[in-house]
């Protein structure tokens, strides 16, 4: 059965191979949701295109900026998760280190409160 998968992570993530392995393991017809930043988001878009997966690339909007001044990514994270995502793939080498990966940690924690499956990749 196809899945709706959110890819999130570091804006400096530059290794497409873990993303390729994770996306290649998805059932045919799966859809990828991601943001519009460099790093993990951009790698996911490239890899998904190579694999023939549909991609929905979302970006921050005015409502995100109003709801979370200076942290509009929080609103984007919440909107992306609300698209029907049933799996979050998080790619961040510094995940779990104090003070690091704020956006990725926010997404993972929000996904868990929504009972959404999460997989974290640090390399």
């Amino acid at each position: 059965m196809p899945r709706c998968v959110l890819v999130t992570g570091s804006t400096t993530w530059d290794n497409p191979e873990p993303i390729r392995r994770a996306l290649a393991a998805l059932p045919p017809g799966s859809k990828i949701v991601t943001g519009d930043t460099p790093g993990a988001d951009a790698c996911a878009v490239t890899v998904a295109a190579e694999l023939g997966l549909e991609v929905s690339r979302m970006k921050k909007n005015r409502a995100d900026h109003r709801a979370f001044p200076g942290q509009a990514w929080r609103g984007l994270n919440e909107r992306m998760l609300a698209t029907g995502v049933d799996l979050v793939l998080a790619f961040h080498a510094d995940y779990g280190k104090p003070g690091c990966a704020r956006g990725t940690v926010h997404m993972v924690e929000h996904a868990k409160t929504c009972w959404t499956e999460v997989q974290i990749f640090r390399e």
Side-chain angles (χ1 to χ4, degrees):
M1 177 169 228
R3 301 194 76 177
C4 184
V5 179
L6 190 148
V7 176
T8 189
S10 172
T11 58
T12 61
W13 186 274
D14 63 357
N15 183 0
E17 291 313 309
I19 294 173
R20 183 172 285 108
R21 285 191 297 273
L23 298 186
L26 296 173
S30 293
K31 177 182 175 183
I32 307 304
V33 176
T34 194
D36 66 341
T37 62
D41 293 359
C43 282
V45 170
T46 299
V47 169
E50 291 170 3
L51 297 172
L53 298 171
E54 178 184 346
V55 177
S56 175
R57 200 162 194 194
M58 298 176 67
K59 58 177 132 180
K60 296 175 219 79
N61 62 27
R62 287 185 180 139
D64 298 330
H65 287 279
R66 280 193 306 270
F68 302 95
Q71 296 182 332
W73 49 266
R74 289 180 180 271
L76 175 60
N77 281 354
E78 292 175 9
R79 286 189 303 109
M80 288 191 298
L81 193 60
T83 62
V85 168
D86 57 38
L87 171 64
V88 172
L89 301 175
F91 297 87
H92 204 300
D94 293 327
Y95 188 88
K97 294 180 182 176
C100 297
R102 291 181 321 150
T104 305
V105 168
H106 174 262
M107 176 57 81
V108 167
E109 289 175 356
H110 187 57
K112 287 179 178 179
T113 66
C114 296
W115 300 96
T116 303
E117 180 184 352
V118 175
Q119 296 175 18
I120 300 168
F121 301 82
R122 291 179 179 88
E123 53 183 51

